[in-house]
Amino acid sequence: MASVQIADVRKAYGATQVIHGVDIDIDDGEFVILVGPSGCGKSTLLRMIAGLENISGGEIRIGPRVVNDVPPKERDIAMVFQNYALYPHMTVADNMAFSMKLRKAPKAEIDERVGKAAGILGLDKLLDRYPRQLSGGQRQRVAMGRAIVRDPQVFLFDEPLSNLDAKLRVQMRTEIKELHQRLKTTTVYVTHDQIEAMTMADKIVVMHDGIVEQMGAPLELYDRPANLFVAAFIGSPSMNLLKGTITAAGFETEGGVVWPIGAHPADSNGRAAVFGIRPEHIQLDANGLKAEVVVVEPMGSETQVVARCGGQTLTCVFRERITAKPGETITITPDTNVTHLFDAATGKRID
Amino acid sequence: MANSAVEMPARLTQARSERTAWQKLKVSPNWLGFWYMVPAMGILILFLAYPLGLGVWLSFTDTKIGRDGVFVGLENYEWLAEDSVFWTSVFNTLLYTTVASAAKFVIGLYLALLLNKHLPFKAMIRALVLIPFIVPTVLSAIAFWWIYDAQFSIISWSLRQLGWIDHNINFLGDVWNARWSTIFANVWRGVPFIAITLLAGLQTVSPSLYEAATLDGATPWQRFRHITYPLLTPIIAVVMTFSVLFTFTDFQLIWALTRGGPVNATHLMATLSYQRAIIAGQLGEGAAISTAMIPFLLAAIGIAWYGLQTRKWQQGGSND
């Protein structure tokens, strides 16, 4: 196990720069998730840690060692690929043993380690099968088994769950997290799914267009998004963002509705800003703002309502069961302890 | 399909009494496939199975051009067994096939691996590689004939200009020179087919397998040995079967270059068969030489088939 330090790392393909100086510190044993929309550079960064891509600038350290010029096989890392990259002509056991066979480990040791990894992942009965004969989830597990057998300093996961169906994805999410808690190996995990990031990570790194937008514990990002991008990206359904101005009375939207807001800097009155409120932080209140119901989506445990207020569309999630029908009016109010304000020009959080 | 399943029984019961067996056969779904096969089967029987059968039959007769033969049993084969020219041609054919196929495989695989890399002008180089395959065999044979010419050979001329030799090389006039020269011409012509087919096979190998192997600690040679080669074996088996069959039955190149000379040194079974049957008119004997090729060809196919059968990892589960 080892820590990973990424310092001012840059990547350019010819004249096109895709990663513009990224700094991330990953502690020993930490589970870090790189998350962002496609094309944000998260997979490229992971491949640079693995050594599959050259580093155009900056420095990556694994443990105490700078690995910029260290070939992949000497970096002591293992990677799980999006398409699993299982060797189709080898059995499950051979797939897992391949790396050890290459470095001519004694057969007894290979058998022991493969057996152990298979035990952890519940693959004991599948060792003689070929990848073709496995289901998606089983292949996923073999890919992880191949990584576990290596007993590396760092695990790298490149969108490992995106080829699985929704139900299996939730199940594998739990399994991967459990595996990490058991092995405590430093893990870097790439995904575009913010729910995966929220549920599994010790630390989330939100990336966008080759820069780090924000980095922190999942709830930290949820509670205090540093900018509009993170605010919109983290959380499901995503945060309502309304344009307008901060006034003494609250936040006046472009539609003329005044929303009550929590504590904000006194000098910010009159400033053009974006008001952010999460759907789950909007409550029903008899004295609240009037909103017209557009769509009601009952989910059982909660009710999701799309409503229109002052010409802007909002998503609200209520714990109560709503009887209102489309076209009817409800009255709502935000929980002023958890409202967010962002500068309209820079998108930065206003505290 | 859903429609017919519902409608068919109703229509059948209604029409059952009036239909003859032949009418039922005409529309039966089980026979439909057979009807579609009939044209192709007809062509194959007429142009492949019948000539083959006729050839085998001829080899048991003493037919000559212009005179119907009578059945003579294995007499033609007995003659051949004592004919040293026939055995030379068998030796030549085996040498030609083995050396040329091996060389074509090695060079073709090397070219395929090279073309699979990121090269500048990749598309153009790939097109260039195909040229020997596109040029009609007889044309390239004539070009080689000129290159190998005793007086005007460009190779002899170049080497003489360099001062490495002092008189022309007798490419096609010397027994072993002629053998190697024809093998070289065959390799030149056969490499593109193998290179392009193997290249197509290489492109089906997912790049992430190489990345995974790199992370697993494989050297470039180990990646070839443990990933590329095993994943390529199905294609190699098919392409080498074809290559061996084509080389074994080669006729055009030899006939245009040497006509089997000098002193039968480059006669292959195919050229000898042609010479005996058509030029000398001994149809029965020529047919026997041709028929003698069949066991070799069947053996080559058998080996390839066996090679294709023993790869378990390709069979099994259908979910991809």
Side-chain angles (χ1 to χ4, degrees):
Chain A
M1 278 182 275
S3 61
V4 177
Q5 265 116 41
I6 297 167
D8 195 30
V9 163
R10 288 159 195 281
K11 176 71 188 177
Y13 295 104
T16 333
Q17 198 164 2
V18 292
I19 293 181
H20 311 270
V22 164
D23 296 271
I24 303 170
D25 276 348
I26 298 165
D27 292 337
D28 191 359
E30 205 171 17
F31 195 124
V32 172
I33 294 193
L34 308 179
V35 67
S38 44
C40 71
K42 55 193 191 301
S43 281
T44 310
L45 188 60
L46 190 79
R47 292 167 60 83
M48 289 200 287
I49 301 174
L52 297 172
E53 298 274 357
N54 292 324
I55 300 165
S56 310
E59 213 174 71
I60 293 180
R61 281 169 191 272
I62 297 177
R65 186 166 61 145
V66 176
V67 294
N68 284 35
D69 299 317
V70 176
K73 67 168 178 169
E74 283 160 33
R75 293 190 185 194
D76 200 5
I77 40 118
M79 186 157 165
V80 175
F81 291 81
Q82 181 173 1
N83 62 0
Y84 319 136
L86 300 180
Y87 310 120
H89 56 295
M90 298 183 197
T91 60
V92 168
D94 288 337
N95 260 286
M96 297 211 282
F98 187 58
S99 64
M100 296 185 75
K101 279 186 183 159
L102 286 181
R103 62 184 150 88
K104 308 215 160 58
K107 186 155 189 328
E109 193 195 337
I110 295 179
D111 288 346
E112 191 211 314
R113 286 229 227 160
V114 169
K116 209 170 131 199
I120 292 174
L121 294 163
L123 292 168
D124 313 76
K125 293 199 177 100
L126 304 174
L127 286 174
D128 293 327
R129 298 251 193 117
Y130 287 94
R132 276 190 84 101
Q133 299 164 311
L134 301 177
S135 69
Q138 289 167 335
R139 286 180 208 185
Q140 169 66 55
R141 247 172 280 188
V142 176
M144 293 202 297
R146 199 164 62 177
I148 293 173
V149 166
R150 299 267 310 277
D151 190 19
Q153 300 276 2
V154 183
F155 280 136
L156 305 176
F157 288 85
D158 189 6
E159 306 208 15
L161 303 185
S162 54
N163 284 0
L164 300 178
D165 63 57
K167 197 176 162 197
L168 205 52
R169 203 177 297 170
V170 175
Q171 187 190 329
M172 290 308 293
R173 214 156 72 190
T174 321
E175 275 186 37
I176 293 177
K177 191 166 182 181
E178 205 183 297
L179 190 70
H180 176 254
Q181 282 161 359
R182 184 163 169 177
L183 301 176
K184 304 237 178 332
T185 306
T186 313
T187 302
V188 185
Y189 184 110
V190 161
T191 180
H192 59 261
D193 181 354
Q194 59 93 18
I195 297 181
E196 256 171 54
M198 290 295 287
T199 51
M200 297 165 77
D202 293 328
K203 180 154 83 187
I204 296 180
V205 179
V206 181
M207 291 186 69
H208 180 222
D209 285 346
I211 58 158
V212 173
E213 292 280 358
Q214 192 177 0
M215 183 159 41
L219 292 180
E220 215 173 295
L221 266 59
Y222 177 84
D223 290 338
R224 295 180 61 78
N227 52 47
L228 274 175
F229 179 80
V230 178
F233 193 80
I234 299 287
S236 168
S238 57
M239 189 189 281
N240 297 298
L241 296 165
L242 310 173
K243 281 186 191 161
T245 345
I246 304 171
T247 63
F251 183 86
E252 189 178 341
T253 67
E254 285 168 350
V257 179
V258 178
W259 288 77
I261 49 174
H264 59 280
D267 61 348
S268 62
N269 285 350
R271 198 162 155 189
V274 176
F275 171 67
I277 179 76
R278 293 196 183 276
E280 55 272 34
H281 296 150
I282 297 177
Q283 299 149 347
L284 290 170
D285 181 354
N287 305 318
L289 304 160
K290 284 193 170 64
E292 185 198 341
V293 176
V294 181
V295 177
V296 179
E297 295 172 352
M299 322 267 275
S301 62
E302 55 196 26
T303 313
Q304 196 167 316
V305 174
V306 180
R308 198 167 286 134
C309 179
Q312 281 162 314
T313 307
L314 296 171
T315 310
C316 319
V317 171
F318 301 113
R319 290 244 142 250
E320 304 88 340
R321 299 201 169 172
I322 305 281
T323 49
K325 299 209 163 38
E328 291 177 12
T329 303
I330 52 172
T331 47
I332 53 174
T333 190
D335 179 349
T336 50
N337 295 321
V338 285
T339 56
H340 311 266
L341 287 169
F342 303 96
D343 187 272
T346 62
K348 291 242 166 21
R349 182 179 186 85
I350 302 172
D351 280 313
Chain B
M1 219 42 221
N3 266 344
S4 61
V6 177
E7 289 167 20
M8 279 256 296
R11 243 197 280 147
L12 276 180
T13 39
Q14 178 200 353
R16 184 169 290 159
S17 52
E18 304 144 35
R19 288 201 177 174
T20 63
W22 169 241
Q23 276 170 328
K24 277 186 207 154
L25 220 53
K26 270 204 298 194
V27 295
S28 155
N30 293 333
W31 279 81
L32 195 64
F34 177 79
W35 299 128
Y36 282 132
M37 263 166 36
V38 164
M41 236 163 59
I43 291 171
L44 288 178
I45 289 173
L46 189 64
F47 294 109
L48 284 175
Y50 170 69
L52 181 69
L54 188 65
V56 174
W57 164 250
L58 275 177
S59 74
F60 295 113
T61 68
D62 62 355
T63 310
K64 293 187 172 61
I65 285 184
R67 205 175 71 191
D68 284 343
V70 293
F71 183 78
V72 293
L74 292 174
E75 200 175 289
N76 283 325
Y77 295 97
E78 282 158 19
W79 271 100
L80 284 181
E82 287 159 26
D83 181 355
S84 67
V85 176
F86 170 73
W87 287 113
T88 310
S89 83
V90 172
F91 167 77
N92 287 340
T93 311
L94 290 176
L95 178 84
Y96 188 75
T97 309
T98 319
V99 176
S101 295
K104 280 189 274 194
F105 173 64
V106 172
I107 299 170
L109 183 60
Y110 174 75
L111 268 181
L113 291 170
L114 209 63
L115 291 174
N116 200 29
K117 295 229 183 300
H118 292 289
L119 295 170
F121 310 111
K122 190 155 77 174
M124 210 154 79
I125 296 174
R126 283 184 187 171
L128 279 177
V129 167
L130 272 177
I131 284 182
F133 191 55
I134 297 164
V135 178
T137 310
V138 174
L139 272 188
S140 46
I142 289 170
F144 267 105
W145 185 48
W146 206 229
I147 290 170
Y148 291 149
D149 188 272
Q151 287 181 49
F152 305 109
S153 164
I154 175 89
I155 302 173
S156 295
W157 182 83
S158 307
L159 292 177
R160 265 196 3 221
Q161 292 296 311
L162 286 167
W164 291 4
I165 53 173
D166 47 14
H167 43 73
N168 282 356
I169 301 169
N170 191 3
F171 284 105
L172 298 178
D174 173 86
V175 169
W176 279 99
N177 277 356
R179 282 177 183 152
W180 295 127
S181 300
T182 48
I183 287 174
F184 181 84
N186 180 281
V187 170
W188 180 84
R189 198 191 128 63
V191 158
F193 171 65
I194 292 177
I196 293 296
T197 318
L198 291 184
L199 178 62
L202 281 177
Q203 290 181 338
T204 63
V205 181
S206 159
S208 62
L209 290 184
Y210 294 116
E211 290 176 347
T214 308
L215 294 180
D216 274 343
T219 59
W221 165 249
Q222 285 171 326
R223 286 204 291 275
F224 174 77
R225 170 71 191 75
H226 296 290
I227 309 293
T228 312
Y229 184 74
L231 290 180
L232 220 49
T233 41
I235 296 237
I236 290 176
V238 171
V239 81
M240 287 319 291
T241 311
F242 275 105
S243 176
V244 165
L245 295 187
F246 290 150
T247 314
F248 197 91
T249 56
D250 197 10
F251 171 81
Q252 287 189 66
L253 199 67
I254 299 291
W255 199 253
L257 272 179
T258 63
R259 312 240 153 165
V263 274
N264 302 321
T266 59
H267 250 317
L268 301 185
M269 290 167 86
T271 53
L272 187 68
S273 163
Y274 178 79
Q275 195 183 47
R276 293 274 165 89
I278 308 299
I279 302 205
Q282 306 285 343
L283 283 178
E285 199 183 326
I289 298 173
S290 288
T291 309
M293 293 165 79
I294 294 176
F296 292 104
L297 298 176
L298 285 180
I301 294 171
I303 290 168
W305 185 249
Y306 176 77
L308 281 173
Q309 283 292 299
T310 48
R311 268 185 303 277
K312 263 188 289 176
W313 57 269
Q314 286 188 302
Q315 285 125 36
S318 56
N319 49 357
D320 208 16

